[in-house]
Amino acid sequence: MCGRFTLTIDLANIAEKFGVEATTQAMHTAPRYNIAPTQPIAAVLRNGETHFTELRWGLIPSWAKDESIGARMINARAESLAEKPSFKGLLRSKRCMILADGFFEWKQENGRKTPMFITMADHQPFAFAGLWDSWKSPSGEAVRTCTIITTHPNDLVATIHNRMPAILLPEAYESWLDPSIKDEQFLSHWLAPYPADAMSARPISRLVNDPHNDSPEILA
């Protein structure tokens, strides 16, 4: 699964990488060192035009009776997207890229769990493959939420955990955001494990265990 991640680089500095115009709001987004489920997260989607947006992490399908389901739908398994009613339609029409520059997994060793920080080897930002939906609250508010797709681990992450987030290759960005592409098999081939030799991992502070902690000391 993917249950925590970081985005410490200002969105204005990564706008060009993802082909999105930086807005004033994006330029003033504070660094985040311990993003957790149910929190707002930065994403890119194409809904008319490609743009940055804020989504709540934890998918609430449009048909849900209440929002509590969102806390249980922070991840979606790549292998079964096309089979599950909650995800099949979204795979065809509501895909997004969730921005990050690192994520956390916990490695079981010597009877305890060591938090590990996993990044690109060059420390550049990247994009998780995600799905999003819009849910109307009882008060009539439109709430846009998302889930992070997970896949089998690459050789690096396999030493830490049995799943990893599906990280999109740069050449996948255009296809993943294009709502006119609805071929499930074609889309699913972008959800393979990211090349291990392009990534690195290291242990970090146990401060990350508390989602209320959100400071650079977590990465020490």
Side-chain angles (χ1 to χ4, degrees):
M1 68 176 289
C2 176
R4 304 279 184 79
F5 65 96
T6 63
L7 184 59
T8 63
I9 301 174
D10 194 296
L11 294 186
N13 294 326
I14 62 175
E16 185 176 354
K17 178 181 177 69
F18 295 102
V20 182
E21 182 179 352
T23 63
T24 301
Q25 180 181 4
M27 292 173 68
H28 292 90
T29 301
R32 300 179 66 191
Y33 298 91
N34 195 8
I35 300 171
T38 75
Q39 294 179 357
I41 60 178
V44 176
L45 59 81
R46 186 173 298 165
N47 190 8
E49 61 181 16
T50 304
H51 61 281
F52 285 129
T53 192
E54 189 174 83
L55 302 173
R56 185 196 297 180
W57 185 13
L59 185 75
I60 307 174
S62 59
W63 45 260
K65 294 182 178 179
D66 64 75
E67 61 185 314
S68 63
I69 191 174
R72 304 191 301 273
M73 298 182 70
I74 65 170
N75 291 157
R77 294 175 66 92
E79 302 90 325
S80 57
L81 290 179
E83 303 167 5
K84 297 200 171 183
S86 300
F87 304 132
K88 183 179 176 69
L90 302 183
L91 177 62
R92 293 171 60 85
S93 63
K94 290 184 176 178
R95 302 182 297 274
C96 62
M97 302 195 310
I98 296 165
L99 305 181
D101 56 13
F103 64 96
F104 306 113
E105 291 294 357
W106 281 257
K107 183 177 183 178
Q108 186 76 41
E109 55 183 5
N110 301 322
R112 62 192 305 185
K113 290 184 177 180
T114 300
M116 304 290 291
F117 185 43
I118 305 163
T119 66
M120 292 295 135
D122 60 7
H123 303 291
Q124 290 297 302
F126 52 88
F128 298 133
L131 305 175
W132 70 279
D133 206 352
S134 183
W135 176 76
K136 184 173 287 188
S137 72
S139 65
E141 178 190 7
V143 181
R144 295 200 301 181
T145 64
C146 65
T147 187
I148 294 174
I149 299 171
T150 66
T151 188
H152 298 294
N154 59 27
D155 290 344
L156 173 70
V157 179
T159 65
I160 303 169
H161 199 268
N162 62 2
R163 300 289 294 177
M164 70 176 289
I167 299 172
L168 294 168
L169 293 166
E171 54 265 36
Y173 295 168
E174 176 61 27
S175 296
W176 188 255
L177 291 178
D178 187 346
S180 71
I181 297 177
K182 302 183 183 298
D183 186 316
E184 296 162 4
Q185 186 173 359
F186 171 76
L187 293 166
S188 294
H189 94 274
W190 292 121
L191 305 177
Y194 201 86
D197 59 4
M199 303 182 72
S200 64
R202 64 177 176 84
I204 54 163
S205 169
R206 286 185 168 80
L207 287 171
V208 72
N209 293 344
D210 184 344
H212 295 99
N213 294 330
D214 187 3
S215 68
E217 288 75 21
I218 285 173
L219 304 184

